[in-house]
Amino acid sequence: MAVDFNDRMLSLGLARVAEQAAIASANLIGRGDEKAADQAAVNAMREQLNKLDIKGVVVIGEGERDEAPMLYIGEEVGSGEGPGVDIALDPLEGTTLTAKDMPNALTVIAMGPRGSMLHAPDVYMDKLAIGPGYPEGVVTLDMAPAERVSALATARGCAPSDITVCILERPRHEAMIAEVRETGAAIRLITDGDVAGVMHCAEPDVTGIDMYMGEGGAPEGVLAAAALKCMGGQIQGRLLFRNDDERGRAAKAGITDLDRVYTRDDMVTEDVIFAATGVTSGSLLPGIKREVGYLTTETILMRSKTGSVRRMTYRNPVR
C-alpha cells in the first residue's frame, strides 16, 4: 500500500538534515579546503537522511554515480519505510564561499512526492527569476536583458534605475552585465551560490534584489524552483548544451525537447518542503555562530502546501 507524503511530519526531519550538514562543515569555514568542507556536509546529510522513514531517491545530487561516491543522482536514501519521495539537495551550496569564509554559503535540501521533480542533467541552465506579486510571464527568457529590466520596472511602477539584478560574476556574463547596466539598473554580482541568488528575489524588501538572470547549473535551477514554490515567485529555465556528451546526459534523464523553457511548476510539479541552513552569514540567513561549548545555526524551513516559512535557531552543544 502506498504511503502518502505527509509534508508536515517530514518537515522537521528535513530541517535537521540541513542543520547537521551545516554543523559538520563548521570547522572547515575559512580553512581553504573546498573538498573537505563539501565531503563533511555530504557525509552528515546522508547519515541524517538515512534516519528518516522515507523511500527516498536523490534526483538532484552531487553528480552522476561515477563522479560522486555519496548522494549521487539515483542513490536511494532513508529507512525504506514510509512514502516514496524525490530529493533535491546541495549539501554545501558555496564550497568556495565556505573555504574562503565569504557570505551566502548554505546547506540546501528539498523533498517532494516521488516523480515531482525534474531530473535535470548536470549541464548549464539559462535562468531568469523574479519574486511574487507579478503577472505570469511579465519577463521571459526570450527577452533581451534590457527588455527584462524595462518590463519589470513597468510592472512594479518604478524606473529601471530602481531595479536591482543579481548575476553570477563570470566571463560568459560580461555582455549581459553591460546591457543591464546601460538601463540604469543596479547589479549585485555574486561569486558563487546561485540557489541563494534566486531565493533573494523572493524577499526583495529584505535582500534588495528584484531579479536574477544568467547561466548556472541546471540542478541548482531545480532546487531554486523548489524554494520559489514555497516562497512565491517565478523562475524560467532553459537547458544549455555544449557538446554531444551533455546532450547524451539529457537523453539519459528522459529529456527529449532540448529547447524547452521550464517554468517553476514544470520543474517542481507537486507540493514540496524546503530547508536551508546558513553556513556563512548572508542576506537570507546568518552563518554559524561559535561560543565556548556551542555552535548555533539558523534554518529556514518552508512548505509550499501552506506557504508557511519558519525560521529555527538551533543551539547545539559541542562535545
Side-chain angles (χ1 to χ4, degrees):
M1 189 178 76
V3 182
D4 286 340
F5 176 72
N6 188 328
D7 67 319
R8 189 169 67 86
M9 294 303 289
L10 287 168
S11 60
L12 289 175
L14 202 70
R16 184 164 180 80
V17 173
E19 282 169 357
Q20 291 302 312
I23 288 167
S25 62
N27 287 335
L28 291 149
I29 296 169
R31 302 304 196 274
D33 193 337
E34 296 177 25
K35 284 188 176 172
D38 189 47
Q39 193 62 57
V42 168
N43 293 351
M45 194 168 265
R46 186 170 186 258
E47 183 183 331
Q48 290 300 318
L49 278 169
N50 284 333
K51 292 177 181 177
L52 296 181
D53 283 333
I54 53 171
K55 294 176 193 161
V57 176
V58 176
V59 297
I60 299 291
E62 286 285 278
E64 305 291 336
R65 184 171 191 162
D66 55 352
E67 298 167 5
M70 289 195 291
L71 293 177
Y72 55 82
I73 296 164
E75 182 173 348
E76 295 181 2
V77 293
S79 69
E81 306 288 325
V85 298
D86 279 358
I87 293 168
L89 51 83
D90 194 337
L92 189 56
E93 214 240 339
T95 53
T96 304
L97 301 177
T98 304
K100 294 182 176 179
D101 197 3
M102 292 168 67
N104 286 318
L106 305 169
T107 60
V108 183
I109 185 163
M111 184 189 292
R114 193 81 191 93
S116 60
M117 295 186 196
L118 175 69
H119 292 220
D122 195 6
V123 299
Y124 278 130
M125 177 185 274
D126 192 12
K127 303 171 197 172
L128 175 63
I130 57 173
Y134 295 104
E136 200 66 36
V138 67
V139 294
T140 70
L141 280 176
D142 294 328
M143 292 177 173
E147 286 181 82
R148 298 168 187 171
V149 172
S150 175
L152 191 65
T154 300
R156 223 185 96 181
C158 67
S161 57
D162 294 322
I163 298 291
T164 299
V165 183
C166 182
I167 302 177
L168 262 179
E169 189 172 19
R170 296 288 186 272
R172 63 180 179 270
H173 290 149
E174 283 173 2
M176 174 186 283
I177 289 166
E179 185 176 336
V180 170
R181 285 209 168 118
E182 281 177 15
T183 68
I187 296 177
R188 185 177 303 175
L189 292 171
I190 56 173
T191 57
D192 292 280
D194 66 346
V195 175
V198 171
M199 288 173 70
H200 281 131
C201 300
E203 295 185 328
D205 295 342
V206 176
T207 63
I209 290 171
D210 303 291
M211 180 159 47
Y212 178 92
M213 65 173 88
E215 298 171 11
E220 288 83 356
V222 177
L223 265 169
L228 290 191
K229 187 109 174 171
C230 299
M231 302 174 87
Q234 301 174 38
I235 182 170
Q236 295 182 6
R238 183 191 286 123
L239 298 174
L240 301 171
F241 305 98
R242 295 172 293 184
N243 50 48
D244 287 341
D245 173 56
E246 292 192 349
R247 281 182 277 275
R249 288 186 184 190
K252 191 174 158 190
I255 291 166
T256 51
D257 182 355
L258 301 187
D259 297 315
R260 179 175 175 181
V261 173
Y262 294 90
T263 65
R264 183 193 75 185
D265 294 341
D266 293 330
M267 289 190 257
V268 182
T269 59
E270 295 186 52
D271 280 317
V272 292
I273 45 181
F274 180 97
T277 302
V279 176
T280 59
S281 286
S283 314
L284 286 168
L285 285 161
I288 296 167
K289 293 186 181 69
R290 294 176 172 278
E291 55 186 301
V292 177
Y294 294 93
L295 288 174
T296 300
T297 61
E298 185 168 315
T299 298
I300 187 168
L301 174 64
M302 305 186 287
R303 296 164 59 206
S304 67
K305 189 174 184 177
T306 57
S308 61
V309 177
R310 180 181 296 189
R311 288 179 177 267
M312 304 162 62
T313 302
Y314 177 46
R315 190 167 182 254
N316 180 58
V318 180
R319 292 180 182 82

